[in-house]
Amino acid sequence: MKNESNIYNPRNSGRVKVRSRKRKILFLKTLFILTILTFFCIIIVKNIIKPPAIPDLSEDNLATYGDTAFIIPEVNDDDMLIGNNLDIPEGFTMEDRKEQFYTFLILGLDKGVNTDTIMVASYDGINKEANIISVPRDSLVNVKRKVKKINAAYPAGNLNGGGKEGGINQLKRELKTIIGFVPDFYIGIDLDGFERIVDAVGGIDINVPIDMKYDDPTQDLHTNIKKGQQVLNGEDALKFARYRKGNNSKNTISDYERMENQQIVIKAILTKLLKPANILKIPEFIDIFNENIYSDIKTENMLWFADQLNRIKGTEALSTYTMPTTGTSGVPMYYEYLDKDGILQLVNDTINPYKKAIEDIHLDIIGGN
């Protein structure tokens, strides 16, 4: 018996051609609609995701930006509003800025007030490169208050009536005296936020140089991290970044080694963020950012910086440095004397956002060369 489905039928052939033509028309219509939707989505995304505008710190705009960002009752402004104010360096204009070059103040906070980590970072959107300079917490700054360490700037501005904004702006003023300019944006990270970021990327790969064992029952702090290559979760990564000495003062590291460990952690986080699986998690990271980190970077600008992660050259495009010093004052304060010449060279080679060089006249450093 012959298979009837294989027998040619002229009447059925016409119907098949009609159905085939309709399917092609439907496909073309669907393709056209999807093309239009994609086109409009691209337009919308381009309008939403955009690079941030550089804060205009010129004299005409300084009042709206807020040089006197806080008023402290019964406190002499001369004691608080020190430094060169929140304006652009003397002799510079906003037209001297490099294209798509952004600078950031990054601070890690313990209990929301104590400045555990201070860094100044830059991102070059043209060359897709980033630099980070760690600032020693004990850096001597030219201020009138009793404790002249830069890590006292944020709590001084915060606790004396300015809140977070006052603390940030006070720290910006004092940073300007040692780097010559005011960072464009700030990022304040509390301990919980740091842990959540590390856990969200699936932990970070760290080669721990020594056994880190420390117990402080008064703070309910217990550190027990073994030497060697391993994946640290958020809690242990934070303990690694903050570690200074072990029980009975064993395995003590310097503050400079501690800053190096913090830089290692940042590179390890960036390495994980650059993995395709984690790039797809960018919306989750932005949620963590909004919930645990306070910053003046707007959401649409965060999306732009997140998109830049896809474009940078990898961790080799991130360079880390420590602000050069000339020595310490010793007891009782252990101030770190800053190296003015070394700072000028480092700043101009890395984080200076201007086409013109920062010069000696832009700094107010004491105790250095």
Side-chain angles (χ1 to χ4, degrees):
M1 183 175 180
K2 295 182 180 179
N3 188 339
E4 294 182 358
S5 62
N6 292 330
I7 300 174
Y8 173 71
N9 188 326
R11 287 177 296 181
N12 290 337
S13 176
R15 295 194 190 106
V16 170
K17 289 181 180 180
V18 170
R19 286 198 295 269
S20 176
R21 191 181 307 114
K22 287 182 177 180
R23 283 197 293 267
K24 288 180 180 179
I25 293 173
L26 180 60
F27 171 77
L28 292 173
K29 284 183 178 180
T30 304
L31 182 62
F32 176 75
I33 292 171
L34 289 175
T35 302
I36 295 296
L37 288 175
T38 302
F39 174 75
F40 280 109
C41 284
I42 291 173
I43 293 176
I44 292 171
V45 167
K46 284 187 175 181
N47 286 328
I48 293 176
I49 301 177
K50 54 188 176 183
I54 300 298
D56 187 347
L57 302 184
S58 59
E59 187 174 351
D60 293 339
N61 292 279
L62 200 55
T64 57
Y65 180 73
D67 186 39
T68 54
F70 58 96
I71 300 174
I72 304 172
E74 301 179 1
V75 174
N76 186 343
D77 281 352
D78 290 338
D79 292 337
M80 294 303 302
L81 302 181
I82 55 84
N84 298 320
N85 300 316
L86 292 174
D87 55 5
I88 60 179
E90 182 181 351
F92 286 43
T93 69
M94 292 301 293
E95 293 181 357
D96 293 319
R97 288 288 305 234
K98 299 174 184 174
E99 183 182 357
Q100 284 195 21
F101 195 101
Y102 307 96
T103 58
F104 311 86
L105 161 61
I106 303 173
L107 62 158
L109 295 172
D110 181 9
K111 299 177 182 177
V113 176
N114 298 322
T115 320
D116 190 67
T117 301
I118 302 173
M119 297 178 174
V120 183
S122 67
Y123 176 68
D124 183 343
I126 301 299
N127 296 310
K128 305 294 184 285
E129 295 176 346
N131 291 288
I132 297 177
I133 298 178
S134 294
V135 181
R137 298 175 299 169
D138 297 334
S139 297
L140 176 64
V141 284
N142 191 11
V143 296
K144 295 182 180 181
R145 64 172 179 267
K146 184 177 180 180
V147 178
K148 302 179 185 299
K149 296 183 178 182
I150 196 163
N151 73 334
Y154 181 85
N158 184 304
L159 298 176
N160 283 292
K164 290 180 179 178
E165 184 180 4
I168 290 291
N169 282 346
Q170 183 62 26
L171 181 52
K172 281 184 175 181
R173 289 186 183 91
E174 297 187 23
L175 275 172
K176 188 184 177 188
T177 69
I178 62 176
I179 64 174
F181 65 90
V182 178
D184 301 319
F185 306 102
Y186 67 83
I187 303 170
I189 309 172
D190 63 26
L191 305 187
D192 290 339
F194 176 86
E195 290 187 22
R196 285 192 63 189
I197 290 171
V198 174
D199 287 335
V201 299
I204 54 176
D205 299 300
I206 298 290
N207 188 7
V208 182
I210 58 174
D211 288 333
M212 296 180 172
K213 186 170 179 58
Y214 178 73
D215 298 283
D216 184 354
T218 61
Q219 299 185 60
D220 193 24
L221 175 61
H222 303 280
T223 300
N224 188 9
I225 305 174
K226 297 297 183 181
K227 177 181 177 181
Q229 186 74 38
Q230 56 198 287
V231 178
L232 299 182
N233 62 19
E235 182 180 357
D236 285 339
L238 178 61
K239 291 175 179 177
F240 171 78
R242 301 185 71 196
Y243 180 87
R244 275 296 308 273
K245 63 180 179 180
N247 293 330
N248 301 317
S249 297
K250 292 181 179 178
N251 288 347
T252 299
I253 64 174
S254 68
D255 204 39
Y256 291 94
E257 291 172 308
R258 183 174 182 268
M259 286 187 285
E260 287 176 1
N261 287 343
Q262 292 170 352
Q263 293 168 354
I264 289 171
V265 166
I266 289 176
K267 280 197 170 186
I269 292 174
L270 180 60
T271 298
K272 277 299 192 72
L273 284 172
L274 290 173
K275 291 184 178 298
N278 279 318
I279 289 175
L280 296 175
K281 290 179 167 182
I282 283 176
E284 178 184 348
F285 299 139
I286 290 177
D287 285 341
I288 295 173
F289 194 100
N290 288 330
E291 292 173 8
N292 298 273
I293 299 171
Y294 61 94
S295 173
D296 55 354
I297 303 176
K298 297 178 180 178
T299 301
E300 61 267 28
N301 302 144
M302 288 184 206
L303 292 170
W304 184 83
F305 284 121
D307 180 63
Q308 294 296 294
L309 285 175
N310 294 314
R311 305 170 188 272
I312 65 175
K313 305 168 187 175
T315 51
E316 68 271 15
L318 171 64
S319 300
T320 56
Y321 308 88
T322 299
M323 185 162 285
T325 59
T326 60
T328 177
S329 67
V331 294
M333 299 305 294
Y334 290 97
Y335 290 120
E336 290 287 342
Y337 294 131
L338 297 174
D339 178 356
K340 181 185 290 186
D341 292 340
I343 289 172
L344 281 172
Q345 180 173 346
L346 178 60
V347 167
N348 285 319
D349 287 346
T350 58
I351 62 172
N352 178 11
Y354 295 94
K355 301 171 188 175
K356 297 162 59 174
I358 300 294
E359 299 179 358
D360 186 279
I361 61 169
H362 300 121
L363 306 186
D364 184 14
I365 291 176
I366 56 176
N369 56 13

